[in-house]
Structure formats: structure tokens, C-alpha cells
Amino acid sequence: MTPRRNRVTVRVRYAETDNMGVAHHAGYFVWFEVGRTELIRELGYAYKQLEADGVCLPVIDAQCSFLRPAFYDDVLTLESFLIERSGLRLKIGYELFRGETLIARGHTVHAFTDKNGKPTRPLLSFLEKISL
């Protein structure tokens, strides 16, 4: 199955850079969250609804490979996509572009938990929307 991709545009803000104008590595994970939220919303099941239904998706692993730097005021395109669901986990991939140039790639792994952090089965209605 070819993964569905969501695209969002982000602009590197001054507060996300060091004094040389290079984006700080922590900003990439903030951008990943923007992409992840919009991907799930596009699939038809917003995070807000998921949490209202009693399920949370905390990040339990995060990885990013920084291939090229991002600079202040760059306009970047982030592509987010579902990689896999296994058991009580969901893996989401990310590719970040400046124009046509891939500048970073990564993934996050999420556990399905209840509001108390206890592992829980994903909702069938959510699984139907993401169709993994």
C-alpha cells in the first residue's frame, strides 16, 4: 500500500534559529507535530476527537536525520505519512523539503493509551479511518 501523504507548509521563525540563522534541531519535532496533527485530521479523525473518545497517542520514540540545514525565513514543505500500526503502536514518517531538496527525514512512534497512560486498544472507528 502506498502511504497517504499530507503536506503542510511551515516558515522557519526567528525564535527557532540560533544566532547564525540556522534552525535549531528541536524545531523539527515541533514541525513533525504540526504534520502529524494535520495528517490525522485529513484522514478524518482529529486528535481532539481521539482524546475526547478517551485515547491518547503519546510519543514513545522520535528520530530525525538532518540532511541539510534550514534557515530563518525558509519556507519548508513537510510531508507526513503513516508507516505502520503494530499492536498498540502507530509509526508516522516525515520528510521535510526546501523546494525540491530533502533536508530532513524522520519518524515518531506513538503508543495507544488511555488518559491515565495505561496501554489501550485503538478504537475501531480510528483504525477504519487510517486503514492500516
Side-chain angles (χ1 to χ4, degrees):
M1 169 179 126
T2 303
R4 270 175 84 177
R5 290 181 176 251
N6 170 269
R7 289 186 180 160
V8 295
T9 301
V10 295
R11 184 180 299 270
V12 180
R13 298 169 293 191
Y14 189 78
E16 296 169 323
T17 64
D18 60 20
N19 63 355
M20 295 177 292
V22 176
H24 189 272
H25 64 276
Y28 290 71
F29 293 101
V30 174
W31 301 331
F32 287 1
E33 181 180 356
V34 171
R36 175 171 64 250
T37 300
E38 292 306 316
L39 172 66
I40 291 174
R41 183 186 326 278
E42 184 178 281
L43 293 172
Y45 211 110
Y47 255 90
K48 186 175 183 177
Q49 182 62 51
L50 193 63
E51 290 181 352
D53 291 341
V55 177
C56 299
L57 282 174
V59 176
I60 60 171
D61 183 40
Q63 184 275 331
C64 185
S65 295
F66 306 96
L67 308 173
R68 304 241 188 300
F71 300 98
Y72 170 64
D73 211 35
D74 278 354
V75 175
L76 307 174
T77 301
L78 175 65
E79 295 186 8
S80 306
F81 48 94
L82 299 171
I83 295 176
E84 69 179 340
R85 185 189 69 82
S86 67
L88 304 179
R89 295 182 178 188
L90 182 66
K91 186 173 185 178
I92 300 175
Y94 310 94
E95 292 180 340
L96 187 65
F97 296 86
R98 181 180 45 248
E100 299 296 316
T101 303
L102 178 65
I103 65 168
R105 69 166 45 105
H107 69 264
T108 52
V109 179
H110 305 264
F112 289 93
T113 71
D114 64 18
K115 291 184 179 185
N116 297 315
K118 181 181 174 189
T120 190
R121 292 183 184 268
L123 299 169
L124 182 57
S125 55
F126 178 74
L127 294 179
E128 288 172 349
K129 296 287 186 182
I130 67 171
S131 65
L132 273 177

